[in-house]
Amino acid sequence: MSGLVVQGVTVKAGERTILDGAGFTAPAGAVTGLIGPNGAGKSTMIGAVMGLRRLVRGTIAFDGANLPAMLPAERARLCAHVEQFATTTERLTVGDVVGLGRVPFQSAWQAAPSAQDETAVASALAAMGMATFANRLYQLLSGGEQQRVQIARALAQEPRMLLLDEPTSHLDIKAQLLVLDVLRAQAQAGCTVLLAMHDLNLAARYCDHLVVLDAGKVVAEGTPADVLDPDLLLRVYGVAATIVQVPGKPYPLVIYDSAPNTD
Ligand code: ADP
Ligand code: MG
């Protein structure tokens, strides 16, 4: 299958098992949502796919290639990663930060960005609605603006796989929809898109495929309509919910009823 195939992945921190034999697929040309409560292992899974976490067991393949065995530079020409908490202490402009997405394609002796690099940076900034921000200092932007710049950096990388860890957590609703529309367009162009997210209604609307992680294990995987089931939401999140089908909308809507009393 083309896309990402994760099988039986176990990751530990010291003696503690963080991912416990977790497996799922993220097909090419689709948006896959990785959902699950805080601490379920979503960021650890994305880190494992990016080669940042050592696998105790399991395999991770992208388009049939063994991803953990790749050199970081080789992986960076295929996969872009937007971290949950991206920070920089450097005094970089927005244009510089987005330009970092082009580094995997530049040779050590290249004095200046190529015309192709400049086009990729400009179109990534435009896609995020940040074209007028290129000369602003990244450090001085708001959290939501920085988040859009990080996504632009990943888009400038023109990756075959995009991994995004809660990419809309600081965004207003319009910016959330903008980002998710851009990610859908990336998938339609053939990219494999995997994003960790919390908003189940946005997940239902934008994801073709959902993977539910709970305590390091994949407990459900399938279409939003298959996965978003009241029993599962109660079991995984401890929240009572009703799933409704709104006439004319092809995706389910989650209505949160209550968090049961845990006294
Ligand atoms: P999520 O992204 O789903 O909220 P994480 O993948 O960040 O969850 O973390 C999963 C669990 O593993 C959490 O309980 C977290 O505290 C723990 N964890 C993650 N990385 C480490 C680490 N390097 N050392 C110890 N515990 C860790
Ligand atoms: Mg996380």
Side-chain angles (χ1 to χ4, degrees), residues 95-128:
D96 293 335
V97 172
V98 179
L100 293 174
R102 300 306 302 166
V103 169
F105 305 98
Q106 292 164 345
S107 58
W109 54 88
Q110 189 175 324
S114 68
Q116 197 186 346
D117 293 333
E118 283 176 353
T119 306
V121 168
S123 74
L125 275 171
M128 284 295 103

Side-chain angles (χ1 to χ4, degrees), residues 4-263:
L4 177 69
V5 180
V6 174
Q7 288 179 307
V9 162
T10 295
V11 169
K12 292 190 173 193
E15 285 302 294
R16 204 166 147 223
T17 300
I18 299 181
L19 292 176
D20 188 3
F24 65 93
T25 60
V31 177
T32 298
L34 190 56
I35 60 174
N38 295 131
K42 302 179 297 297
S43 297
T44 304
M45 177 58 81
I46 288 175
V49 173
M50 282 309 295
L52 304 172
R53 302 299 295 250
R54 193 179 71 82
L55 307 190
V56 175
R57 266 188 297 281
T59 59
I60 299 178
F62 178 64
D63 284 355
N66 180 356
L67 212 49
M70 273 181 201
L71 294 172
E74 193 184 352
R75 191 164 39 235
R77 286 191 288 272
L78 291 180
C79 313
H81 178 203
V82 176
E83 292 166 83
Q84 187 169 4
F85 307 106
T87 54
T88 171
T89 51
E90 307 277 331
R91 276 177 63 84
L92 297 176
T93 66
V94 166
D96 293 335
V97 172
V98 179
L100 293 174
R102 300 306 302 166
V103 169
F105 305 98
Q106 292 164 345
S107 58
W109 54 88
Q110 189 175 324
S114 68
Q116 197 186 346
D117 293 333
E118 283 176 353
T119 306
V121 168
S123 74
L125 275 171
M128 284 295 103
M130 305 288 286
T132 59
F133 282 66
N135 297 317
R136 302 260 299 265
L137 266 186
Y138 175 79
Q139 267 175 322
L140 302 183
L141 301 184
S142 76
E145 289 163 346
Q146 289 188 347
Q147 203 160 28
R148 281 193 282 161
V149 172
Q150 289 297 335
I151 297 165
R153 196 240 329 124
L155 294 174
Q157 219 170 315
E158 298 178 336
R160 281 169 48 202
M161 178 157 68
L162 260 167
L163 301 160
L164 307 105
D165 200 346
E166 300 191 28
T168 59
S169 58
H170 296 296
L171 301 183
D172 64 51
I173 189 66
K174 183 178 168 196
Q176 291 186 35
L177 299 180
L178 171 86
V179 165
L180 292 165
D181 280 333
V182 167
L183 297 180
R184 279 222 62 80
Q186 290 285 313
Q188 267 153 20
C191 190
T192 302
V193 180
L194 176 67
L195 71 159
M197 62 196 302
H198 281 301
D199 186 322
L200 300 181
N201 284 310
L202 286 180
R205 168 154 177 210
Y206 281 96
C207 297
D208 305 290
H209 191 71
L210 287 183
V211 176
V212 187
L213 262 180
D214 187 24
K217 291 189 161 82
V218 173
V219 294
E221 178 175 9
T223 63
D226 285 343
V227 164
L228 296 174
D229 152 80
D231 290 340
L232 179 102
L233 298 183
L234 188 59
R235 209 165 60 240
V236 170
Y237 290 97
V239 168
T242 306
I243 314 290
V244 295
Q245 202 61 56
V246 179
K249 302 286 184 195
Y251 43 85
L253 180 71
V254 182
I255 297 173
Y256 304 108
D257 295 323
S258 66
N261 201 335
T262 50
D263 289 349

